[in-house]
Protein backbone atom coordinates (compact mmCIF):
# COMPACT_ATOMS: atom_id res chain seq x y z
CA UNK A 1 0.00 0.00 0.00
CA UNK A 2 1.27 3.50 -0.83
CA UNK A 3 2.31 5.64 2.12
CA UNK A 4 1.68 9.36 2.46
CA UNK A 5 2.57 11.97 5.08
CA UNK A 6 0.04 14.77 5.56
CA UNK A 7 1.07 17.89 7.48
CA UNK A 8 -1.47 20.43 8.69
CA UNK A 9 -0.32 23.94 9.62
CA UNK A 10 -1.67 26.29 12.29
CA UNK A 11 -4.62 27.74 10.36
CA UNK A 12 -5.74 24.24 9.29
CA UNK A 13 -6.09 23.19 12.95
CA UNK A 14 -7.04 26.58 14.43
CA UNK A 15 -10.34 25.39 16.00
CA UNK A 16 -12.04 22.11 16.91
CA UNK A 17 -14.18 22.55 13.78
CA UNK A 18 -11.05 22.82 11.63
CA UNK A 19 -9.57 19.77 13.38
CA UNK A 20 -12.71 17.79 12.53
CA UNK A 21 -12.41 18.88 8.91
CA UNK A 22 -8.74 17.84 8.81
CA UNK A 23 -9.70 14.48 10.31
CA UNK A 24 -12.09 13.97 7.40
CA UNK A 25 -9.31 14.62 4.87
CA UNK A 26 -7.15 12.06 6.71
CA UNK A 27 -9.99 9.54 6.93
CA UNK A 28 -10.60 9.79 3.19
CA UNK A 29 -6.90 9.31 2.40
CA UNK A 30 -6.68 6.35 4.77
CA UNK A 31 -9.19 4.36 2.71
CA UNK A 32 -6.55 3.81 0.01
CA UNK A 33 -3.19 4.66 1.62
CA UNK A 34 -1.22 4.40 4.83
CA UNK A 35 -1.21 7.88 6.39
CA UNK A 36 1.13 9.42 8.95
CA UNK A 37 0.13 12.89 10.10
CA UNK A 38 2.21 15.85 11.30
CA UNK A 39 0.60 18.83 13.00
CA UNK A 40 1.49 22.37 14.04
CA UNK A 41 0.19 24.26 17.05
CA UNK A 42 -3.22 25.92 16.62
CA UNK A 43 -2.87 29.30 14.87
CA UNK A 44 -1.38 32.00 17.11
CA UNK A 45 -0.44 29.63 19.95
CA UNK A 46 3.31 29.46 19.27
CA UNK A 47 3.52 33.26 18.93
CA UNK A 48 1.88 33.61 22.33
CA UNK A 49 4.37 31.20 23.92
CA UNK A 50 7.31 32.99 22.27
CA UNK A 51 6.01 36.21 23.78
CA UNK A 52 5.72 34.64 27.26
CA UNK A 53 9.28 33.29 27.14
CA UNK A 54 10.75 36.50 25.74
CA UNK A 55 8.99 38.58 28.39
CA UNK A 56 10.89 36.54 30.98
CA UNK A 57 14.17 37.11 29.12
CA UNK A 58 14.38 33.65 27.52
CA UNK A 59 15.28 33.44 23.82
CA UNK A 60 16.37 30.93 21.18
CA UNK A 61 19.43 29.15 22.55
CA UNK A 62 17.84 28.39 25.94
CA UNK A 63 16.55 24.80 26.27
CA UNK A 64 13.65 25.94 28.46
CA UNK A 65 12.58 28.34 25.72
CA UNK A 66 12.11 25.26 23.51
CA UNK A 67 10.08 23.47 26.21
CA UNK A 68 7.69 26.40 26.25
CA UNK A 69 7.35 27.17 22.54
CA UNK A 70 7.08 23.53 21.44
CA UNK A 71 4.14 22.77 23.70
CA UNK A 72 1.30 23.90 21.39
CA UNK A 73 1.94 20.99 19.03
CA UNK A 74 1.22 18.45 21.77
CA UNK A 75 -2.29 19.85 22.25
CA UNK A 76 -3.09 19.65 18.53
CA UNK A 77 -1.68 16.14 18.13
CA UNK A 78 -3.76 14.90 21.08
CA UNK A 79 -6.95 16.62 19.90
CA UNK A 80 -6.59 15.27 16.36
CA UNK A 81 -5.89 11.71 17.56
CA UNK A 82 -8.98 11.91 19.79
CA UNK A 83 -11.07 13.20 16.85
CA UNK A 84 -9.89 10.37 14.58
CA UNK A 85 -10.73 7.82 17.28
CA UNK A 86 -14.18 9.40 17.71
CA UNK A 87 -14.69 8.73 14.00
CA UNK A 88 -13.98 5.04 14.52
CA UNK A 89 -10.41 5.11 13.22
CA UNK A 90 -7.33 3.90 15.06
CA UNK A 91 -4.89 6.65 15.98
CA UNK A 92 -2.35 7.82 18.57
CA UNK A 93 -0.37 10.98 19.18
CA UNK A 94 3.44 11.25 19.33
CA UNK A 95 5.64 13.96 20.82
CA UNK A 96 8.87 14.43 18.83
CA UNK A 97 10.90 12.55 21.49
CA UNK A 98 8.58 9.57 21.32
CA UNK A 99 9.22 8.96 17.60
CA UNK A 100 12.14 9.73 18.28
CA UNK A 101 13.42 12.62 16.16
CA UNK A 102 16.99 13.24 17.31
CA UNK A 103 18.52 16.66 16.79
CA UNK A 104 21.54 18.82 17.55
CA UNK A 105 21.58 20.89 20.76
CA UNK A 106 20.96 24.22 18.97
CA UNK A 107 17.85 25.12 20.94
CA UNK A 108 15.48 27.22 18.85
CA UNK A 109 16.98 26.13 15.53
CA UNK A 110 18.00 22.50 16.01
CA UNK A 111 19.14 20.36 13.10
CA UNK A 112 17.64 16.88 12.61
CA UNK A 113 20.25 14.15 12.97
CA UNK A 114 18.05 11.09 12.69
CA UNK A 115 14.45 9.94 12.58
CA UNK A 116 13.78 6.44 13.82
CA UNK A 117 10.47 5.48 12.27
CA UNK A 118 10.25 1.93 13.68
CA UNK A 119 7.35 2.85 16.01
CA UNK A 120 5.51 4.66 13.22
CA UNK A 121 5.95 1.72 10.83
CA UNK A 122 4.55 -0.70 13.42
CA UNK A 123 1.49 1.55 13.81
CA UNK A 124 0.95 1.85 10.07
CA UNK A 125 1.14 -1.90 9.62
CA UNK A 126 -1.74 -2.45 12.03
CA UNK A 127 -3.86 0.42 10.71
CA UNK A 128 -3.07 3.00 13.40
CA UNK A 129 -2.74 6.59 12.14
CA UNK A 130 0.17 8.19 14.00
CA UNK A 131 -0.26 11.93 14.65
CA UNK A 132 3.15 13.45 15.23
CA UNK A 133 3.93 16.81 16.79
CA UNK A 134 5.71 18.95 14.23
CA UNK A 135 8.54 21.31 15.22
CA UNK A 136 9.83 19.08 18.07
CA UNK A 137 12.93 16.98 18.55
CA UNK A 138 15.12 15.66 21.33
CA UNK A 139 18.78 16.46 21.89
CA UNK A 140 21.64 14.25 23.16
CA UNK A 141 21.26 16.23 26.41
CA UNK A 142 17.78 14.67 26.73
CA UNK A 143 16.10 18.04 26.24
CA UNK A 144 13.23 18.99 23.95
CA UNK A 145 14.42 20.99 20.94
CA UNK A 146 12.60 22.99 18.26
CA UNK A 147 13.39 23.10 14.57
CA UNK A 148 13.08 26.85 13.91
CA UNK A 149 9.87 28.74 13.14
CA UNK A 150 7.74 26.93 10.60
CA UNK A 151 9.60 23.75 11.59
CA UNK A 152 6.62 21.40 11.27
CA UNK A 153 7.28 21.40 7.53
CA UNK A 154 10.71 19.97 8.30
CA UNK A 155 9.23 17.31 10.58
CA UNK A 156 6.88 16.27 7.76
CA UNK A 157 9.66 16.02 5.19
CA UNK A 158 12.00 14.14 7.55
CA UNK A 159 9.26 11.67 8.56
CA UNK A 160 8.39 11.19 4.85
CA UNK A 161 12.00 10.38 4.13
CA UNK A 162 12.29 7.98 7.03
CA UNK A 163 9.06 6.17 6.09
CA UNK A 164 10.03 6.24 2.40
CA UNK A 165 6.61 7.77 1.78
CA UNK A 166 5.49 8.28 -1.80
CA UNK A 167 4.48 11.87 -1.13
CA UNK A 168 4.69 14.55 1.57
CA UNK A 169 1.64 16.83 1.56
CA UNK A 170 1.85 20.23 3.23
CA UNK A 171 -1.63 21.60 3.92
CA UNK A 172 -1.99 25.28 4.62
CA UNK A 173 -4.39 28.20 4.08
CA UNK A 174 -3.19 28.76 0.49
CA UNK A 175 -3.81 26.26 -2.29
CA UNK A 176 -0.20 26.09 -3.42
CA UNK A 177 2.92 28.13 -3.98
CA UNK A 178 2.18 31.37 -5.81
CA UNK A 179 4.37 33.67 -7.87
CA UNK A 180 4.20 36.03 -4.87
CA UNK A 181 2.31 35.92 -1.56
CA UNK A 182 -1.34 35.96 -2.75
CA UNK A 183 -2.38 37.67 0.47
CA UNK A 184 -0.21 40.62 -0.57
CA UNK A 185 -0.86 40.61 -4.31
CA UNK A 186 -4.16 39.02 -5.36
CA UNK A 187 -3.09 38.86 -9.04
CA UNK A 188 -0.40 36.31 -8.09
CA UNK A 189 -0.61 33.01 -9.97
CA UNK A 190 -0.37 29.50 -8.59
CA UNK A 191 2.75 27.64 -9.74
CA UNK A 192 1.97 24.04 -10.79
CA UNK A 193 5.50 22.71 -10.36
CA UNK A 194 8.64 24.26 -8.90
CA UNK A 195 12.19 22.96 -8.57
CA UNK A 196 13.63 22.49 -5.04
CA UNK A 197 16.33 25.10 -5.79
CA UNK A 198 13.90 27.88 -6.61
CA UNK A 199 11.52 26.92 -3.78
CA UNK A 200 14.41 26.97 -1.33
CA UNK A 201 15.40 30.45 -2.47
CA UNK A 202 11.78 31.67 -2.27
CA UNK A 203 11.57 30.33 1.29
CA UNK A 204 14.99 31.74 2.28
CA UNK A 205 13.97 35.19 1.19
CA UNK A 206 10.55 35.42 2.81
CA UNK A 207 7.97 33.07 1.22
CA UNK A 208 6.99 31.33 4.44
CA UNK A 209 4.58 28.90 2.75
CA UNK A 210 7.42 26.34 3.18
CA UNK A 211 10.20 26.51 5.76
CA UNK A 212 13.60 26.88 4.08
CA UNK A 213 15.30 23.99 5.91
CA UNK A 214 12.44 21.68 4.99
CA UNK A 215 12.96 22.35 1.27
CA UNK A 216 16.68 21.78 1.67
CA UNK A 217 16.03 18.45 3.44
CA UNK A 218 13.52 17.42 0.76
CA UNK A 219 16.05 18.23 -1.96
CA UNK A 220 18.86 16.28 -0.27
CA UNK A 221 16.67 13.22 0.34
CA UNK A 222 14.63 13.56 -2.84
CA UNK A 223 11.29 13.77 -1.02
CA UNK A 224 8.46 14.73 -3.36
CA UNK A 225 6.34 17.48 -1.81
CA UNK A 226 2.88 18.79 -2.64
CA UNK A 227 1.69 22.09 -1.17
CA UNK A 228 -2.10 22.24 -0.99
CA UNK A 229 -4.97 23.83 0.91
CA UNK A 230 -7.02 22.17 3.64
CA UNK A 231 -9.80 24.66 2.79
CA UNK A 232 -10.24 24.09 -0.96
CA UNK A 233 -9.53 21.04 -3.10
CA UNK A 234 -7.16 21.35 -6.04
CA UNK A 235 -3.84 19.99 -7.33
CA UNK A 236 -1.69 22.51 -5.46
CA UNK A 237 2.01 22.81 -6.26
CA UNK A 238 4.49 19.97 -6.68
CA UNK A 239 8.06 20.60 -5.48
CA UNK A 240 10.58 18.20 -6.99
CA UNK A 241 13.75 18.02 -9.09
CA UNK A 242 11.76 16.95 -12.08
CA UNK A 243 11.07 20.52 -13.27
CA UNK A 244 12.77 22.60 -15.93
CA UNK A 245 14.06 25.79 -14.37
CA UNK A 246 12.66 29.05 -15.64
CA UNK A 247 14.43 32.40 -15.86
CA UNK A 248 12.01 34.01 -13.38
CA UNK A 249 9.83 31.99 -10.98
CA UNK A 250 8.42 34.43 -8.52
CA UNK A 251 8.94 37.17 -5.95
CA UNK A 252 9.64 36.74 -2.24
CA UNK A 253 9.00 39.61 0.12
CA UNK A 254 10.28 40.59 3.57
CA UNK A 255 8.45 43.59 4.95
CA UNK A 256 9.49 46.15 7.54
CA UNK A 257 13.19 45.45 7.82
CA UNK A 258 14.98 46.74 10.91
CA UNK A 259 18.30 48.56 10.69
CA UNK A 260 21.21 47.76 13.03
CA UNK A 261 24.76 49.03 13.38
CA UNK A 262 27.19 46.33 14.48
CA UNK A 263 30.55 47.31 15.99
CA UNK A 264 33.26 44.65 15.93
CA UNK A 265 36.97 44.00 16.48
CA UNK A 266 37.64 41.95 13.34
CA UNK A 267 39.51 42.94 10.16
CA UNK A 268 36.40 42.29 8.09
CA UNK A 269 32.66 42.02 8.65
CA UNK A 270 32.40 38.90 6.46
CA UNK A 271 32.84 36.25 9.22
CA UNK A 272 29.94 37.91 11.06
CA UNK A 273 27.74 37.70 7.96
CA UNK A 274 28.69 34.05 7.53
CA UNK A 275 27.84 33.38 11.19
CA UNK A 276 24.41 35.00 10.78
CA UNK A 277 23.82 33.04 7.54
CA UNK A 278 24.46 29.81 9.47
CA UNK A 279 21.42 30.73 11.55
CA UNK A 280 19.52 31.63 8.34
CA UNK A 281 19.63 35.36 9.09
CA UNK A 282 19.83 36.91 5.63
CA UNK A 283 20.59 40.59 6.17
CA UNK A 284 21.33 43.24 3.58
CA UNK A 285 24.54 45.13 4.28
CA UNK A 286 24.05 48.83 3.68
CA UNK A 287 27.35 50.39 4.69
CA UNK A 288 30.66 49.03 5.92
CA UNK A 289 33.62 50.85 7.40
CA UNK A 290 36.48 49.88 9.68
CA UNK A 291 35.12 48.16 12.78
CA UNK A 292 31.44 48.62 11.98
CA UNK A 293 28.69 47.97 9.45
CA UNK A 294 24.99 48.65 8.99
CA UNK A 295 22.64 45.81 8.26
CA UNK A 296 18.93 45.50 7.47
CA UNK A 297 17.29 42.38 8.90
CA UNK A 298 13.85 40.84 9.16
CA UNK A 299 12.54 42.04 12.53
CA UNK A 300 11.42 38.50 13.42
CA UNK A 301 15.11 37.60 13.51
CA UNK A 302 16.15 40.37 15.94
CA UNK A 303 16.13 38.30 19.18
CA UNK A 304 18.02 35.46 17.46
CA UNK A 305 20.65 37.84 16.05
CA UNK A 306 21.09 39.53 19.43
CA UNK A 307 21.43 36.22 21.24
CA UNK A 308 24.04 34.94 18.74
CA UNK A 309 26.11 38.11 18.76
CA UNK A 310 25.95 38.69 22.54
CA UNK A 311 28.09 35.60 23.15
CA UNK A 312 30.91 36.70 20.79
CA UNK A 313 33.76 38.62 22.38
CA UNK A 314 34.74 40.22 19.04
CA UNK A 315 31.42 42.10 18.95
CA UNK A 316 31.62 45.35 20.89
CA UNK A 317 28.11 46.70 20.32
CA UNK A 318 24.86 45.95 18.48
CA UNK A 319 22.79 49.11 18.14
CA UNK A 320 19.36 49.49 16.59
CA UNK A 321 19.25 52.48 14.25
CA UNK A 322 16.01 54.38 14.34
CA UNK A 323 15.20 55.85 10.97
CA UNK A 324 11.99 57.37 9.69
CA UNK A 325 12.31 55.25 6.57
CA UNK A 326 10.72 51.83 6.60
CA UNK A 327 12.38 49.46 4.16
CA UNK A 328 11.19 46.18 2.60
CA UNK A 329 12.99 43.68 0.45
CA UNK A 330 11.67 42.16 -2.77
CA UNK A 331 13.63 39.21 -4.05
CA UNK A 332 13.20 38.18 -7.66
CA UNK A 333 13.68 34.40 -7.73
CA UNK A 334 14.90 32.65 -10.85
CA UNK A 335 17.76 30.63 -12.21
CA UNK A 336 21.21 31.68 -13.41
CA UNK A 337 20.49 35.34 -12.73
CA UNK A 338 23.16 37.80 -13.83
CA UNK A 339 24.37 41.31 -13.04
CA UNK A 340 22.74 42.38 -16.28
CA UNK A 341 19.33 41.06 -15.07
CA UNK A 342 19.67 42.97 -11.82
CA UNK A 343 20.62 46.23 -13.57
CA UNK A 344 17.66 45.84 -15.89
CA UNK A 345 15.22 45.33 -13.00
CA UNK A 346 16.60 48.32 -11.11
CA UNK A 347 16.23 50.54 -14.15
CA UNK A 348 12.66 49.33 -14.79
CA UNK A 349 11.75 50.26 -11.20
CA UNK A 350 13.48 53.63 -11.46
CA UNK A 351 11.61 54.41 -14.70
CA UNK A 352 8.38 54.04 -12.73
CA UNK A 353 9.76 56.46 -10.09
CA UNK A 354 10.41 53.74 -7.52
CA UNK A 355 13.61 54.37 -5.60
CA UNK A 356 15.83 51.30 -5.17
CA UNK A 357 18.10 51.85 -2.18
CA UNK A 358 20.17 48.74 -2.47
CA UNK A 359 20.48 45.75 -4.78
CA UNK A 360 22.38 42.48 -4.27
CA UNK A 361 22.56 39.37 -6.37
CA UNK A 362 22.64 35.66 -5.54
CA UNK A 363 22.67 32.75 -7.98
CA UNK A 364 18.91 32.24 -7.72
CA UNK A 365 17.77 35.62 -6.51
CA UNK A 366 18.08 39.38 -6.95
CA UNK A 367 17.35 41.38 -3.79
CA UNK A 368 15.96 44.88 -4.12
CA UNK A 369 15.46 47.19 -1.16
CA UNK A 370 12.62 49.68 -1.53
CA UNK A 371 10.55 51.81 0.81
CA UNK A 372 7.66 49.80 2.28
CA UNK A 373 5.26 52.48 1.01
CA UNK A 374 6.26 51.60 -2.59
CA UNK A 375 6.29 47.84 -2.01
CA UNK A 376 2.96 47.01 -3.64
CA UNK A 377 3.70 49.13 -6.69
CA UNK A 378 7.15 47.51 -6.97
CA UNK A 379 5.60 44.02 -6.80
CA UNK A 380 3.16 44.97 -9.55
CA UNK A 381 5.90 46.37 -11.81
CA UNK A 382 8.21 43.37 -11.28
CA UNK A 383 5.42 40.80 -11.60
CA UNK A 384 4.45 42.26 -14.98
CA UNK A 385 7.96 42.81 -16.29
CA UNK A 386 9.22 39.37 -15.28
CA UNK A 387 6.09 37.94 -16.99
CA UNK A 388 5.04 36.02 -13.90
CA UNK A 389 1.33 36.23 -14.75
CA UNK A 390 -0.21 33.53 -16.90
P1 LIG B 1 0.98 27.14 8.02
O1 LIG B 1 0.55 27.80 9.29
O2 LIG B 1 -0.06 26.27 7.42
O3 LIG B 1 2.32 26.48 8.13
P2 LIG B 1 2.16 29.49 6.91
O4 LIG B 1 1.52 30.72 7.48
O5 LIG B 1 3.47 29.07 7.47
O6 LIG B 1 1.10 28.31 6.96
O7 LIG B 1 2.33 29.64 5.33
C1 LIG B 1 1.23 30.02 4.54
C2 LIG B 1 1.32 31.50 4.23
O8 LIG B 1 2.45 31.73 3.41
C3 LIG B 1 0.16 32.04 3.40
O9 LIG B 1 -0.91 32.45 4.21
C4 LIG B 1 0.78 33.17 2.62
O10 LIG B 1 0.41 34.44 3.13
C5 LIG B 1 2.28 32.99 2.83
N1 LIG B 1 3.05 33.05 1.58
C6 LIG B 1 4.17 33.81 1.41
N2 LIG B 1 4.64 33.68 0.18
C7 LIG B 1 3.83 32.82 -0.48
C8 LIG B 1 3.82 32.28 -1.81
N3 LIG B 1 4.75 32.62 -2.70
N4 LIG B 1 2.85 31.41 -2.13
C9 LIG B 1 1.89 31.07 -1.23
N5 LIG B 1 1.84 31.55 0.04
C10 LIG B 1 2.80 32.42 0.42
N1 LIG C 1 4.20 26.08 15.56
C1 LIG C 1 5.52 26.36 15.01
C2 LIG C 1 5.61 27.80 14.54
O1 LIG C 1 4.63 28.53 14.63
C3 LIG C 1 5.91 25.40 13.94
C4 LIG C 1 5.06 25.44 12.69
O2 LIG C 1 3.97 26.01 12.70
O3 LIG C 1 5.50 24.89 11.67
O4 LIG C 1 6.64 28.22 14.10
MG1 LIG D 1 4.29 27.24 8.04
Amino acid sequence: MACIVQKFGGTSVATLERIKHVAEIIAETSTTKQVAVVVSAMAGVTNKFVEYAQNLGSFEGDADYDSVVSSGELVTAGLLAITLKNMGLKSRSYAGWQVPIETSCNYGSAVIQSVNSTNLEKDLQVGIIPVICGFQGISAENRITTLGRGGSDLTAVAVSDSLKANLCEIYSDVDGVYTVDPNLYPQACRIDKIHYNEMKEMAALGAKVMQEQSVDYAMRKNVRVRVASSFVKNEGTIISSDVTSKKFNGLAVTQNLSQFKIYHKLDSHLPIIELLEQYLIRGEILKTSEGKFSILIDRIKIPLMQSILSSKNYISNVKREMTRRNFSRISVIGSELTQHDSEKLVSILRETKIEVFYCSIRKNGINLIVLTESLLKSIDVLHKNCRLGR
Side-chain angles (χ1 to χ4, degrees):
M1 206 191 236
C3 174
I4 191 164
V5 172
Q6 298 189 311
K7 176 257 167 178
F8 297 92
T11 40
S12 301
V13 292
T15 60
L16 289 184
E17 276 315 303
R18 295 298 316 159
I19 290 179
K20 281 183 194 151
H21 177 69
V22 156
E24 275 157 24
I25 297 178
I26 298 165
E28 196 190 319
T29 312
S30 72
T31 58
T32 54
K33 298 179 186 80
Q34 290 184 334
V35 201
V37 178
V38 173
V39 287
S40 294
M42 295 160 96
V45 167
T46 312
N47 284 347
K48 191 80 219 158
F49 292 163
V50 166
E51 202 185 304
Y52 287 157
Q54 290 185 349
N55 279 342
L56 292 175
S58 170
F59 296 97
E60 281 128 327
D62 174 12
D64 290 309
Y65 171 92
D66 280 21
S67 299
V68 174
V69 306
S70 66
S71 55
E73 270 65 15
L74 204 49
V75 175
T76 321
L79 292 175
L80 181 54
I82 294 169
T83 310
L84 288 166
K85 286 188 291 187
N86 287 347
M87 290 164 71
L89 294 159
K90 290 194 273 182
S91 179
R92 67 150 284 185
S93 58
Y94 278 91
W97 66 267
Q98 290 172 312
V99 174
I101 296 175
E102 290 173 345
T103 74
S104 66
C105 297
N106 301 18
Y107 300 99
S109 50
V111 175
I112 293 184
Q113 291 168 336
S114 72
V115 178
N116 182 342
S117 54
T118 315
N119 293 328
L120 306 180
E121 280 160 30
K122 280 187 194 151
D123 284 349
L124 292 172
Q125 271 153 24
V126 294
I128 297 173
I129 300 171
V131 182
I132 304 145
C133 292
F135 191 41
Q136 300 182 350
I138 181 154
S139 69
E141 294 168 341
N142 200 25
R143 301 295 311 258
I144 291 170
T145 55
T146 59
L147 307 174
R149 295 307 306 269
S152 300
D153 297 336
L154 178 56
T155 308
V157 168
V159 167
S160 301
D161 170 56
S162 185
L163 287 172
K164 300 189 178 49
N166 306 75
L167 184 64
C168 174
E169 289 188 324
I170 304 289
Y171 284 92
S172 152
D173 58 343
V174 277
D175 63 347
V177 180
Y178 277 69
T179 45
V180 59
D181 186 344
N183 289 322
L184 212 54
Y185 186 69
Q187 297 96 303
C189 298
R190 188 169 51 77
I191 301 171
D192 294 332
K193 287 185 196 168
I194 186 166
H195 194 283
Y196 294 117
N197 278 330
E198 278 93 49
M199 186 64 235
K200 187 176 164 211
E201 198 71 356
M202 293 266 289
L205 295 166
K208 69 166 186 162
V209 60
M210 280 289 286
Q211 188 216 33
E212 177 187 354
Q213 301 92 306
S214 74
V215 186
D216 187 56
Y217 202 103
M219 177 157 63
R220 282 189 282 113
K221 308 282 189 168
N222 207 16
V223 174
R224 195 177 167 80
V225 178
R226 184 170 90 97
V227 178
S229 162
S230 65
F231 295 77
V232 291
K233 242 185 181 175
N234 78 13
E235 322 80 76
T237 299
I238 293 286
I239 309 171
S240 72
S241 55
D242 175 25
V243 183
T244 325
S245 288
K246 284 205 263 169
K247 179 83 184 160
F248 296 116
N249 284 275
L251 308 173
V253 175
T254 312
Q255 293 193 62
N256 304 322
L257 298 163
S258 298
Q259 194 167 329
F260 278 82
K261 193 172 267 177
I262 298 176
Y263 298 81
H264 60 88
K265 298 174 193 157
L266 303 177
D267 296 335
S268 149
H269 66 288
L270 293 177
I272 303 168
I273 302 307
E274 276 164 26
L275 174 71
L276 294 176
E277 282 259 341
Q278 276 171 29
Y279 288 87
L280 309 179
I281 300 175
R282 306 257 151 67
E284 298 298 321
I285 312 298
L286 294 183
K287 260 186 272 161
T288 60
S289 54
E290 211 186 312
K292 58 177 190 268
F293 64 95
S294 290
I295 184 169
L296 285 174
I297 69 155
D298 185 347
R299 64 180 166 185
I300 292 172
K301 307 273 180 170
I302 296 174
L304 180 59
M305 179 183 80
Q306 284 174 324
S307 104
I308 296 163
L309 297 183
S310 66
S311 61
K312 303 290 174 232
N313 55 15
Y314 53 77
I315 300 289
S316 29
N317 199 0
V318 177
K319 220 171 106 200
R320 184 146 185 185
E321 295 196 289
M322 291 304 176
T323 83
R324 266 185 283 125
R325 287 172 160 172
N326 186 328
F327 293 109
S328 288
R329 176 178 64 200
I330 308 183
S331 306
V332 180
I333 312 298
S335 57
E336 306 301 334
L337 300 174
T338 62
Q339 193 63 35
H340 176 72
D341 296 320
S342 81
E343 282 160 15
K344 206 168 150 205
L345 294 178
V346 170
S347 76
I348 288 168
L349 286 172
R350 287 192 175 143
E351 274 162 27
T352 46
K353 307 264 177 298
I354 293 168
E355 203 171 345
V356 179
F357 289 84
Y358 184 78
C359 172
S360 66
I361 176 158
R362 301 154 62 98
K363 191 165 167 247
N364 294 312
I366 294 167
N367 295 330
L368 302 153
I369 302 293
V370 298
L371 286 175
T372 300
E373 64 206 43
S374 52
L375 177 65
L376 293 182
K377 187 171 171 206
S378 310
I379 292 175
D380 189 46
V381 169
L382 292 170
H383 202 268
K384 287 179 178 143
N385 278 277
C386 296
R387 299 187 194 290
L388 295 171
R390 283 187 201 272

